[in-house]
Amino acid sequence: MSREQEYENFEALRQNEQEDVDFSVTARTVAESKVAIVAPHGGGIEPLTAELAESIAGSNHNYYALRGLKKRGNKVLHITSHRFDEERALTLIGPCEKVITVHGLAGDKRSLQIGGRDEALRNRVHQALESAGFESEVVTDGAYGGMEPGNICNRGSTGAGVQLEIHAGLRQMMKEDVATYDRFVDAVRSAL
């Protein structure tokens, strides 16, 4: 699926796709939390990202996911992170001081890249994941650096968040091994 076939923004998606048929949106607010964990490309778009985001959020942090529900062709629902403007996401994220977005990268590598403008949180997450035995790389430029001010991870109250880009190989490993999944979730939660 080429980038040209993806929707430019949420309004374009809404005009062509049906909510709760082609995609779903979950937005759960925890009043006392200033942390949001977000999966803008969940479901069939980038598998396992919504589940990971929900597990990281747990019951004590805000959680948002847009999930692709189509039998096939979910990639069209991918709105690039710096153009992701779904209003429920922006409302949930706006007051939060810490925002972590969970994304999927293609490829068999069992590793992830960490970007975003929140340098302190980015480094804590990176160190926590490395300490838990995960191969993690901090990336601050290029397509996965998450440095654009408009990137959904940077739309909280501080203008700086963290973007996790998890290779398909690592996501598959976590899907098959609950201990690895739990270790990943616990490491990210420990950095919050």
Side-chain angles (χ1 to χ4, degrees):
M1 179 77 45
S2 72
R3 291 276 182 215
E4 293 74 42
Q5 291 175 292
E6 295 174 359
Y7 291 112
E8 182 73 19
N9 55 37
F10 187 73
E11 187 54 38
L13 185 151
R14 185 194 332 257
Q15 289 175 10
N16 293 283
E17 309 288 347
Q18 190 174 348
E19 187 162 354
D20 297 324
V21 174
D22 301 311
F23 70 94
S24 68
V25 170
T26 303
R28 186 184 72 224
T29 304
V30 177
E32 63 277 1
S33 179
K34 293 292 185 190
V35 174
I37 312 298
V38 177
H41 309 133
I45 308 168
E46 294 172 353
L48 203 66
T49 59
E51 294 82 351
L52 282 166
E54 186 169 20
S55 295
I56 293 164
S59 61
N60 54 337
H61 297 305
N62 300 294
Y63 165 69
Y64 172 91
L66 185 145
R67 287 183 173 90
L69 303 177
K70 297 170 173 275
K71 286 184 170 59
R72 63 177 94 59
N74 283 285
K75 295 293 183 208
V76 73
L77 303 170
H78 183 285
I79 300 169
T80 301
S81 294
H82 65 270
R83 291 194 315 248
F84 194 90
D85 60 352
E86 199 279 324
E87 57 275 355
R88 287 163 286 189
L90 298 180
T91 298
L92 182 135
I93 291 168
C96 291
E97 295 169 4
K98 294 186 181 353
V99 178
I100 295 179
T101 57
V102 182
H103 302 268
L105 277 177
D108 294 334
K109 291 181 181 177
R110 293 181 170 185
S111 62
L112 73 148
Q113 297 176 352
I114 304 177
R117 297 167 65 98
D118 186 337
E119 185 177 352
L121 181 58
R122 184 182 69 218
N123 290 339
R124 282 200 313 272
V125 171
H126 170 66
Q127 289 164 359
L129 285 166
E130 281 202 325
S131 294
F134 292 97
E135 187 181 326
S136 169
E137 175 188 9
V138 172
V139 176
T140 57
D141 56 10
Y144 305 111
M147 300 305 277
E148 302 94 343
N151 185 305
I152 192 69
C153 78
N154 298 320
R155 300 287 295 267
S157 64
T158 65
V162 171
Q163 176 172 286
L164 305 181
E165 292 278 358
I166 309 167
H167 283 103
L170 178 54
R171 285 181 284 132
Q172 185 62 37
M173 184 178 163
M174 288 192 277
K175 184 177 180 180
E176 294 169 359
D177 180 32
V178 69
T180 302
Y181 181 99
D182 290 345
R183 197 168 79 248
F184 185 93
V185 168
D186 290 347
V188 177
R189 282 181 60 83
S190 75
L192 295 169

